[in-house]
Amino acid sequence: MKKVKSAFGLLTATALLATMVGCGGSAGDDSSATSSPAGTEKLKKISIFQSKVEIAEPLEALVKKYKEETGNEVEVWGAAGDAYSTQLQAKLTANEGPTIFSVGTGAEAEKFKSYYYDLSNEPYVKNIAPNMALKIDGKVVGVPYGVEGFGLVYNKSLVDPKDVTNLESFTKTLEKLKAEGKNGLSLSQEAYFLIGHIINTPFALQPDPQAFIEKLNKGEVKMADTKEFQEFAKFMEAIKANTKNPMEVKYDTQMGDFATGKTAMVHQGNWSYSMLKDYGDLGFEIGMMPLPLAGNNKLAVGVASNWVINGKASADEIKAASAFLNWLFTSETGKNAIVKEFKFIPAMVNIEAADLDPLSKAVHEATKSGQTIPWANNYFPQGIIVNDLAPAAQEFFLKKDMTGEQFLQKLDAAWAKAAK
Amino acid sequence: MNSRKDIGWYLLFTMPLLFIFTTVVLIPFIIGIGYSFVSWDGIPANPKTFVGFDNYVELFKDKRFLQSAWHTVQFTLLALIIVNVSGLLLALLVTAGLRVSNAARTMFFLPNLIGGLILGYIWQFIFTDIFKFIGEKTGLEHIFFNWLLDPKFALYAMVIVFTWQMAGYTMIIYIAGIQGIPDDLIEAAKVDGANLRQRLTKIVFPLLMPSFTVCLFLTLSGAFKIFDVNLSLTKGGPNNATEMFAMNIYNEIFAYSHYGLGQAKAIIFFLIVAILTLTQVAITKKREVQM
């Protein structure tokens, strides 16, 4: 018995040692493979981490083409969606950050600013459309993915934009659709689609949105005392009274119901076309119009994400990363991918927009004619939409007797807490 | 000679574990205590300022943190009772000598093999879509509605999912305990005319005490530290009504970027879990009986 035991012990110990040695061996292999320069012109292998789930697959394909054309390797670390910022932070803090990553304009860009490599002297940044480059302390540090816009995406066979021009007509349209058994307008339960985007409008309509946000942070103004927000509250009341509870709607059901004609309008952006595309021929035309808050007739257009290079990476990696961005924004393959595969509305002057879907077209036209309001929500305190505004909005939609006025007070309270 | 060989074996087996434990638990824990005294946003390039016990003072003023503590207590109590009662009942059921007991045992244990995240998403679908569907079809809309939208019922929903996950696991431990009880003891009691209730309370339960200790410990610490089901099922909503301790700490650190404060919360969290579980083990250990 004793012998069996010790033999077994020896076996386990050997197995254990074998695994340890195995691990060590493979780790060693890895590092030697990456550090050995195989070709003459070969650049160091770099990694990309970015937030947009929609372009995850095309980006992987593009990286393969990049390798075919130039022989250089780029590794794509998947897309994280909602948890992107958290994961990025964890990776950067652990000194295992990607070489190229994406950041949102505004508070998120501010948060990671100690990591950016100064792109001011790189050739491709000269092609960025005016006022679209991500700048920190006067230096260009990020290249925009593209411009995006949101507003009311509507079914042209159910809604006429002429009937949605102010609070009164908006409410009437919702009531009429409700009477016809259609859902007039759909928000969905995700924080940005529930409140984050729609609350942008009253902010963007302020004479100076950024100054207004600062005042709000300091507690010098209140949403409840501001005219545009009071009207916003009435819009939200109309939505609550006449449409399906957004807390029961997810992004995919929201777009699904819209695609099948059960919902007449959704508050969404041009990105949502990728969801509609899956339904094939919808059988009706779609368009995008502004949320007519306080007579607003402009779409909200801005830059959601920017490519930045990790300045903490080694000089070789930075060089390789810059070469990749240069290829992405100047080569035919790269430019093509941005427009045709990523379906971005380009924010570069050297890239022509081609074959835009109806929603992107609306955004592109608004951009060209200047009929846009900014994305003020980029300048909200970091994380406030998900952590503070969304719970307040959930309460508003779940409590039947909560009025728009009480909702504004909740939002003010949530803001005061978050801005601390 | 023999004892020296033993020490060799002892070291061989304990050293790797000790090494891993030190590097991934002990050292980070100590560093974590250090972080709880600074104010920092988690970006290495930004300064860490020493604030002493300010973080600890602050967290007791944090209403949302205290609320999450209360949710956790409610959840843990409910989960502790329901998980163990159902685990024990399942164990008694499958050891009663039914023909299907082996298949049943496997089936009851299966949910435990699915990760909490996936379970959460599956049940999210059940609570939002299937419950609503049943409610509409049967007219029992006051029972079958979307539980995840009601602050109270969302908490119950979490208890259900946690029970679904853990009951099978505790069942296995109880089965081992029940099978450890000699048959002759039970038979003797039967011969003496003891009924089922008497057999259970006088013989089975006292002899099951070691299993109770283990199961209560596992469910208590598991329920207190719950995060995966919380994240996937409710994300803490609606309106933060199901935000548990671990999730509150996660949000403080990653959503608000208050590393110091979040770390201070984590230390308090550790102390509470440690005190609770140690007390529980001490109490139930005392009641264990030897045959």
Side-chain angles (χ1 to χ4, degrees), chain B residues 74-95:
Chain B
Q74 286 175 307
F75 171 75
T76 307
L77 273 180
L78 279 171
L80 195 67
I81 295 166
I82 299 178
V83 167
N84 283 289
V85 168
S86 41
L88 188 60
L89 284 178
L90 293 178
L92 289 171
L93 193 74
V94 298
T95 50

Side-chain angles (χ1 to χ4, degrees), chain B residues 68-78 224 244-245:
Chain B
S68 81
W70 175 232
H71 301 147
T72 314
V73 169
Q74 286 175 307
F75 171 75
T76 307
L77 273 180
L78 279 171
F224 229 88
M244 302 286 157
F245 252 133

Side-chain angles (χ1 to χ4, degrees), chain A residues 338-354:
Chain A
I338 290 174
V339 186
K340 298 216 173 104
E341 307 296 327
F342 298 174
K343 307 260 184 228
F344 287 162
I345 305 163
M348 310 288 281
V349 291
N350 65 330
I351 306 180
E352 278 294 314

Side-chain angles (χ1 to χ4, degrees), chain B residues 8-20:
Chain B
W9 278 118
Y10 184 72
L11 284 181
L12 180 68
F13 282 109
T14 49
M15 283 315 281
L17 189 70
L18 200 65
F19 175 73
I20 293 167

Side-chain angles (χ1 to χ4, degrees), chain A residues 23-172:
Chain A
C23 288
S26 70
D29 283 352
D30 263 6
S31 58
S32 68
T34 44
S35 59
S36 72
T40 40
E41 282 270 288
K42 197 167 158 87
L43 295 163
K44 211 162 175 249
K45 184 177 175 183
I46 55 165
S47 49
I48 294 183
F49 188 50
Q50 60 90 28
S51 59
K52 260 195 173 301
V53 185
E54 294 94 323
I55 67 162
E57 278 177 39
L59 184 63
E60 296 258 4
L62 181 68
V63 158
K64 275 202 197 99
K65 277 192 201 148
Y66 180 61
K67 201 185 169 198
E68 278 166 23
E69 286 189 15
T70 65
N72 295 317
E73 272 187 80
V74 178
E75 188 185 4
V76 180
W77 285 358
D82 270 358
Y84 173 73
S85 174
T86 312
Q87 290 191 16
L88 175 66
Q89 186 176 356
K91 287 185 165 111
L92 289 172
T93 313
N95 283 326
E96 286 171 4
T99 335
I100 297 178
F101 56 93
S102 68
V103 287
T105 306
E108 190 174 270
E110 196 65 27
K111 180 175 173 184
F112 293 107
K113 71 175 179 187
S114 53
Y115 282 98
Y116 305 146
Y117 176 72
D118 181 2
L119 299 176
S120 303
N121 300 319
E122 304 298 327
Y124 44 88
V125 302
K126 293 182 184 66
N127 299 329
I128 302 175
N131 298 324
M132 289 294 177
L134 177 66
K135 284 188 184 167
I136 298 272
D137 304 331
K139 289 177 208 146
V140 177
V141 294
V143 190
Y145 270 43
V147 293
E148 291 181 304
F150 56 79
L152 291 174
V153 175
Y154 65 100
N155 179 336
K156 282 190 180 168
S157 64
L158 293 175
V159 186
D160 185 350
K162 282 190 216 111
D163 296 338
V164 187
T165 52
N166 54 27
L167 176 64
E168 204 192 349
S169 58
F170 175 76
T171 315
K172 258 198 194 128

Side-chain angles (χ1 to χ4, degrees), chain B residues 248-267:
Chain B
N248 183 279
I249 293 169
Y250 174 87
N251 281 339
E252 191 68 58
I253 292 181
F254 289 109
Y256 290 109
S257 296
H258 296 157
Y259 261 53
L261 180 56
Q263 199 56 51
K265 284 179 176 180
I267 301 292

Side-chain angles (χ1 to χ4, degrees), chain B residues 41-195:
Chain B
D41 66 356
I43 307 286
N46 295 348
K48 308 179 181 79
T49 28
F50 182 78
V51 293
F53 281 93
D54 280 9
N55 285 333
Y56 288 92
V57 177
E58 179 116 347
L59 70 88
F60 284 107
K61 286 190 242 155
D62 183 350
K63 237 166 118 194
R64 188 162 152 189
F65 179 64
L66 298 179
Q67 263 171 10
S68 81
W70 175 232
H71 301 147
T72 314
V73 169
Q74 286 175 307
F75 171 75
T76 307
L77 273 180
L78 279 171
L80 195 67
I81 295 166
I82 299 178
V83 167
N84 283 289
V85 168
S86 41
L88 188 60
L89 284 178
L90 293 178
L92 289 171
L93 193 74
V94 298
T95 50
L98 300 171
R99 204 179 300 159
V100 290
S101 58
N102 266 332
R105 204 184 295 190
T106 317
M107 274 169 49
F108 293 143
F109 186 67
L110 268 183
N112 196 256
L113 299 176
I114 308 174
L117 272 178
I118 298 167
L119 266 189
Y121 286 122
I122 296 173
W123 278 89
Q124 192 185 44
F125 169 70
I126 296 178
F127 283 123
T128 25
D129 294 343
I130 301 197
F131 264 47
K132 226 182 129 201
F133 178 76
I134 297 178
E136 274 164 18
K137 290 286 160 200
T138 59
L140 298 168
E141 270 159 354
H142 53 288
I143 307 174
F144 292 105
F145 56 95
N146 186 349
W147 280 29
L148 302 180
L149 293 186
D150 183 289
K152 260 218 184 74
F153 279 84
L155 193 82
Y156 300 153
M158 280 196 51
V159 174
I160 290 180
V161 178
F162 186 71
T163 307
W164 178 263
Q165 187 186 21
M166 282 298 288
Y169 194 73
T170 51
M171 174 194 75
I172 295 287
I173 298 171
Y174 285 125
I175 290 176
I178 290 170
Q179 286 175 339
I181 300 170
D183 286 343
D184 45 353
L185 220 60
I186 307 279
E187 252 162 58
K190 270 188 198 163
V191 171
D192 287 344
N195 60 24

Side-chain angles (χ1 to χ4, degrees), chain A residues 312-343:
Chain A
K312 296 275 189 319
S314 72
D316 285 347
E317 283 171 332
I318 290 177
K319 196 176 142 214
S322 191
F324 175 73
L325 288 185
N326 192 30
W327 181 83
L328 178 63
F329 290 112
T330 55
S331 78
E332 281 311 308
T333 322
K335 290 197 288 191
N336 246 327
I338 290 174
V339 186
K340 298 216 173 104
E341 307 296 327
F342 298 174
K343 307 260 184 228

